[in-house]
Amino acid sequence: MGLGSDQNHQLLSKIATNDKHGENSPYFDGLMAYERDQFHPTKNPNGVIQLGLAENQLCFDLIEEWIRNNPKASICTPEGVHKFREIANFQDYHGLPEFTRAMANFMSKVRGGRVKFDPERILMSGGATGANELIMFCLADPGDAFLVPTPYYPAFLRDLCWRTKAQLIPVLCDSSNNFKITREALEAAYNKAQEDNINVKGVIITNPSNPLGTILDRDTMKSIVSFINENNIHLISEEVYAATVFRSPSSYVSVAEVIQDMEECNNNINLDLIHITYSLSKDMGFPGFRVGIVYSFNDGVVSCGRKMSSFGLVSSQTQHMLASMLSNDKFVDNFLKENSRRLAKRYDYFTKGLEEVNITRFPSDAGLFCWMNLKSLLKDQTFEAELKLWRVIMNEVKLNVSPGSSFCCFEPGWFRVCFANMDNETVEVALNRIRTFIGKETKNQVKIKRWQPNLKLSFSSRKFEESTVLSPHMMSPHSPISHSPLVIPAT
């Protein structure tokens, strides 16, 4: 006879049952709502359309064509089965040499060839999620904190804190200066943490930004590198969207290029503090392959991380195929060019559809999403009103978009909407739903008559009531909490 949930919970470890997984947010609830009621043009035309998942499906035809033309790359084909025994056997933690060489070459190409990567410094893990946890395991003790500029990816709480028991300190960035990461904001968050006796181990940035879709300029990057260098703390640069830059890809600047330039200018940079996390989930559209990469300039991290990678190695079969694909310079060059072109075309089409109904968005140059401004639709400029609007969009319009509060945005009314994970026909259905909801000729603030006091979405994880407050990592600076308003306490 099974135990009750409370009794079963007591049998599990505190690490397994702590509440830092972060799934108690609208971001994850929206994903689950889609899974329960997926849109299909014929089988379920009134289902939820997925605009909350950042997947890149626009170049699958290029991948499929390469696979058909290169059957030897797989050990599961008659042409490639002669490599089966070699690839199926145990591989050490360094990975297949041909794979790490191909990854280093691909990472360089994505960054315009302006910086080279050493294959010996590439560590593997299970997607960006595993890569982020791996680097945190190497750098942070339980209770240590990292500064993270807002808004940031909702699942960072899970990836970085759940099992490591580290904590995140949001660095306040807002639309008044285009969400720019300033030295003043970093220092304010850092100094407040010190006052609260919190040990800050580093700064985490995403470049290009998720959810903003922006790329950091060179001066901002130099300022961040100088800040961490002066305070002797680490910098983790998550660059998983590096090949999704669709406006002037050559303008993208990796932290690897910045420190290279600063060294050439005789700046005294401690390279042991610099680390990059990467994956092929977004740039290539391979989230199912679970290819996560940590690239560190720190020898100690490389040594420790290689031991850790045994818990999340990329399968040798995947390494084998991707080594062949990514070593094909002609294919890679064409893919990167076409990927940028198609993303730009889809972005322009989608945002034009928003503009037709007077929905503005934050200007972006990269990513698989746009940062949509729906402040004019809020009954009040509060996070409670933001969640009310989100429930209407989810429950009535049947579009899964993600509210800004789940990204720790300190301003209500922003929403992230993804545009690269569907075909053209589904995009048109989504835009038509938006047009119907708002009205083509809307120019003034919309009054949403369908709001009801008891409106809620019922999901397996929890229910959002009208009195819902933001979880600790989404608190506004004025929220009535006893600890520092910028800190997610460790458990």
Side-chain angles (χ1 to χ4, degrees):
M1 186 173 180
L3 296 174
S5 59
D6 291 340
Q7 290 177 289
N8 197 32
H9 194 274
Q10 293 174 5
L11 296 176
L12 303 180
S13 72
K14 291 181 179 179
I15 292 177
T17 57
N18 76 55
D19 62 357
K20 290 299 178 286
H21 189 277
E23 281 196 345
N24 58 332
S25 82
Y27 172 77
F28 285 103
D29 279 342
L31 296 179
M32 286 185 283
Y34 169 75
E35 290 300 324
R36 292 163 60 97
D37 185 22
Q38 296 183 31
F39 167 81
H40 188 277
T42 57
K43 297 179 180 179
N44 190 21
N46 296 318
V48 175
I49 294 178
Q50 179 63 281
L51 300 179
L53 188 61
E55 286 187 338
N56 186 1
Q57 299 182 17
L58 300 187
C59 287
F60 276 178
D61 60 312
L62 302 183
I63 304 294
E64 290 166 347
E65 180 184 11
W66 186 90
I67 292 173
R68 283 191 293 268
N69 294 335
N70 294 270
K72 289 184 179 181
S74 172
I75 60 174
C76 299
T77 63
E79 294 86 351
V81 71
H82 65 282
K83 297 283 287 185
F84 171 81
R85 296 189 182 189
E86 176 185 343
I87 298 302
N89 285 335
F90 174 78
Q91 308 293 334
D92 67 30
Y93 307 149
H94 289 74
L96 298 177
E98 57 268 32
F99 173 72
T100 54
R101 287 195 300 267
M103 276 300 307
N105 182 61
F106 180 75
M107 291 171 66
S108 178
K109 278 184 172 292
V110 168
R111 292 151 182 82
R114 296 181 298 276
V115 63
K116 302 297 182 183
F117 293 93
D118 181 357
E120 294 298 318
R121 293 192 173 278
I122 288 179
L123 309 172
M124 288 183 293
S125 193
T129 294
N132 282 325
E133 187 182 59
L134 186 153
I135 192 64
M136 289 295 281
F137 177 90
C138 292
L139 301 182
D141 290 313
D144 286 348
F146 275 75
L147 309 181
V148 190
T150 62
Y152 58 77
Y153 176 47
F156 267 170
L157 197 66
R158 173 200 65 195
D159 298 1
L160 303 169
C161 305
W162 186 30
R163 296 195 295 187
T164 66
K165 303 182 76 172
Q167 51 185 323
L168 305 181
I169 299 179
V171 176
L172 180 58
C173 304
D174 59 58
S175 61
S176 65
N177 69 341
N178 295 322
F179 295 101
K180 185 179 178 66
I181 305 172
T182 65
R183 177 67 179 253
E184 293 75 17
L186 289 169
E187 289 177 345
Y190 182 78
N191 293 336
K192 179 59 177 174
Q194 289 193 313
E195 291 175 9
D196 293 342
N197 295 316
I198 298 171
N199 185 36
V200 176
K201 289 301 293 284
V203 175
I204 299 171
I205 60 174
T206 57
N207 184 33
S209 167
N210 175 14
L212 298 177
T214 54
I215 56 178
L216 294 177
D217 62 81
R218 194 177 297 269
D219 288 341
T220 298
M221 291 287 290
K222 287 182 178 179
S223 175
I224 295 171
V225 171
S226 296
F227 173 80
I228 64 100
N229 198 61
E230 292 166 15
N231 290 285
N232 196 37
I233 58 177
H234 295 276
L235 174 61
I236 301 172
S237 181
E238 189 192 68
E239 301 184 357
V240 300
Y241 290 97
T244 70
V245 181
F246 51 80
R247 299 277 188 252
S248 302
S250 61
S251 63
Y252 174 71
V253 182
S254 166
V255 70
E257 184 178 349
V258 169
I259 61 176
Q260 178 178 275
D261 292 347
M262 294 177 76
E263 282 192 306
E264 292 175 355
C265 295
N266 297 317
N267 292 71
N268 185 23
I269 302 299
N270 183 358
L271 295 182
D272 284 345
L273 301 174
I274 309 295
H275 322 275
I276 296 171
T277 56
Y278 186 58
S279 80
L280 297 182
S281 298
K282 311 303 183 181
D283 284 355
M284 296 290 291
F286 292 162
F289 281 15
R290 310 310 301 145
V291 179
I293 298 295
V294 171
Y295 188 92
S296 178
F297 294 88
N298 185 314
D299 291 342
V301 168
V302 172
S303 177
C304 177
R306 187 148 287 142
K307 299 171 187 175
M308 276 298 297
S309 68
S310 63
F311 294 97
L313 280 174
V314 179
S315 78
S316 54
Q317 178 182 348
T318 300
Q319 290 184 54
H320 175 66
M321 190 196 80
L322 291 178
S324 179
M325 178 183 291
L326 300 182
S327 296
N328 188 323
D329 288 338
K330 182 178 179 181
F331 168 78
V332 169
D333 291 342
N334 179 65
F335 178 90
L336 294 176
K337 181 180 179 179
E338 187 65 9
N339 187 49
S340 294
R341 188 191 71 80
R342 294 186 187 185
L343 284 171
K345 181 179 179 181
R346 174 61 65 82
Y347 174 86
D348 290 342
Y349 183 81
F350 191 83
T351 55
K352 182 180 179 181
L354 298 179
E355 291 171 0
E356 289 175 357
V357 290
N358 298 312
I359 293 178
T360 61
R361 86 283 179 188
F362 192 74
S364 56
D365 306 295
L368 311 174
F369 34 72
C370 63
W371 192 231
M372 186 169 59
N373 186 347
L374 298 184
K375 292 183 179 182
S376 64
L377 302 185
L378 299 184
K379 185 176 181 181
D380 303 296
Q381 295 302 308
T382 63
F383 289 110
E384 288 77 12
E386 177 183 277
L387 290 179
K388 288 179 183 178
L389 176 60
W390 170 74
R391 294 183 199 111
V392 171
I393 295 173
M394 276 293 311
N395 220 23
E396 303 292 334
V397 190
K398 294 294 188 74
L399 298 176
N400 176 32
V401 299
S402 305
S405 55
S406 61
F407 292 83
C408 204
C409 183
F410 285 78
E411 299 175 26
W414 293 98
F415 288 76
R416 192 192 74 169
V417 54
C418 301
F419 56 77
N421 62 346
M422 66 196 81
D423 56 29
N424 293 334
E425 291 74 18
T426 306
V427 169
E428 195 57 42
V429 175
L431 289 174
N432 282 334
R433 290 186 183 184
I434 293 173
R435 294 184 187 108
T436 301
F437 174 54
I438 296 178
K440 292 182 179 180
E441 305 301 324
T442 300
K443 293 183 180 180
N444 301 317
Q445 180 175 346
V446 175
K447 295 181 180 179
I448 304 176
K449 299 180 180 179
R450 303 168 83 172
W451 277 344
Q452 301 295 331
N454 63 347
L455 183 63
K456 61 189 177 184
L457 287 173
S458 298
F459 304 138
S460 58
S461 62
R462 66 184 174 114
K463 294 182 179 179
F464 275 89
E465 303 294 343
E466 291 302 307
S467 60
T468 298
V469 296
L470 302 178
S471 60
H473 63 292
M474 302 177 215
M475 290 289 185
S476 79
H478 308 294
S479 299
I481 50 180
S482 57
H483 56 270
S484 169
L486 297 180
V487 177
I488 304 166
T491 55

